[in-house]
Amino acid sequence: MSKRYLFVAPPLHGHTHRLLPVSAALRQRGATVAWAGYASTLAGRLPDEVPLFALTAKEHTFHEVVRAANQSRGFSRYQSLLEDVIPALTSAMLAELEPVLRTFRPDVVVADQHALAAAIAAQRHALPWVTWAAPSGVADFSATYPTATAQHGAALESLAKRFDAAPPIDLSPWLTLTPITRAFVRGSVREGPIAFVGPTLASTRPSIAFPWDQLAETPRVLVTFGTINVDLA
């Protein structure tokens, strides 16, 4: 009997995009896959035979909270993300994920690191879960940014306690995957089983028009801000 995997992603395009090739690779190996996520980021991205359990609760509220957080700068913005954005997203997703787990009955939950509700729900159902983390999510910043690191840990522990979950909820005790190689993460990494799997690329990519001819023939630097920071970019 094939294993059943439930992928859970927040309403953030970048986080969803990186997980899609992992989902496809598991299907090619005979696994049964389903997704729990938001139509705004998954519509038209999944094969017809892959079930999508659409999450809808308070997506607009989440984006409003993100926009509000982006009005501040520096450490206050970071505090807002910890105290407002992440708890709002977790609370909104958790209520809808519980019935999804009962309906699909996965063997493993694959949770984006920002979808903390998936880790909490997996714990409640005594299911193993795998974290899909951005490279910054596995790096250990305690030596460089001790105050921010301590506050980040305290906020996540408080969130876990609020939902009666065992910390940590942002890194799985079973496995954490990150789409980069170890050489690109300077310094130490956080404790736990972490697999550096390299970039995940879709077999087909949409054709997007871009004015390449307007770029000067000089060295170029690509700067990306991430989905949450799109308004600032």
Side-chain angles (χ1 to χ4, degrees):
M1 182 180 296
S2 65
K3 291 284 188 180
R4 298 170 66 83
Y5 293 83
L6 178 67
F7 283 74
V8 185
L12 301 170
H13 286 276
H15 293 251
T16 302
H17 177 74
R18 292 180 301 194
L19 263 178
L20 287 168
V22 180
S23 169
L26 284 173
R27 290 185 62 243
Q28 290 174 357
R29 288 162 172 78
T32 300
V33 169
W35 278 74
Y38 292 81
S40 60
T41 54
L42 283 167
R45 306 292 301 277
L46 296 174
D48 293 338
E49 60 272 22
V50 175
L52 169 60
F53 296 92
L55 307 179
T56 59
K58 299 184 179 178
E59 180 179 1
H60 67 285
T61 302
F62 165 69
H63 288 295
E64 288 171 2
V65 172
V66 170
R67 284 191 289 271
N70 284 341
Q71 298 305 308
S72 56
R73 293 292 184 271
F75 195 70
S76 61
R77 179 177 178 274
Y78 180 71
Q79 279 185 302
S80 182
L81 290 173
L82 283 180
E83 298 172 3
D84 300 320
V85 176
I86 293 178
L89 178 62
T90 302
S91 180
M93 294 180 71
L94 187 57
E96 291 189 308
L97 276 177
E98 292 276 9
V100 171
L101 265 63
R102 289 192 292 269
T103 300
F104 182 66
R105 301 181 68 181
D107 296 299
V108 179
V109 174
V110 182
D112 179 89
Q113 195 172 35
H114 283 53
L116 297 174
I120 296 170
Q123 286 192 30
R124 290 181 176 180
H125 290 258
L127 290 170
W129 49 282
V130 173
T131 300
W132 179 258
S136 59
V138 300
D140 183 357
F141 295 109
S142 58
T144 310
Y145 304 106
T147 301
T149 300
Q151 186 165 6
H152 179 81
L156 291 179
E157 285 192 18
S158 175
L159 191 62
K161 183 178 180 180
R162 172 181 168 184
F163 292 105
D164 296 319
I169 53 176
D170 64 325
L171 286 187
S172 168
W174 282 274
L175 179 64
T176 293
L177 304 173
T178 186
I180 201 169
T181 60
R182 179 64 178 88
F184 281 92
V185 180
R186 298 181 62 184
S188 58
V189 298
R190 295 173 61 186
E191 294 183 0
I194 299 173
F196 294 85
V197 299
T200 54
L201 304 175
S203 57
T204 58
R205 298 177 65 84
S207 177
I208 300 175
F210 187 85
W212 296 105
D213 57 320
Q214 296 183 24
L215 294 177
E217 290 297 326
T218 57
R220 306 178 182 98
V221 176
L222 172 65
V223 180
T224 64
F225 289 83
T227 311
I228 288 181
N229 301 311
V230 65
D231 291 338
L232 295 179

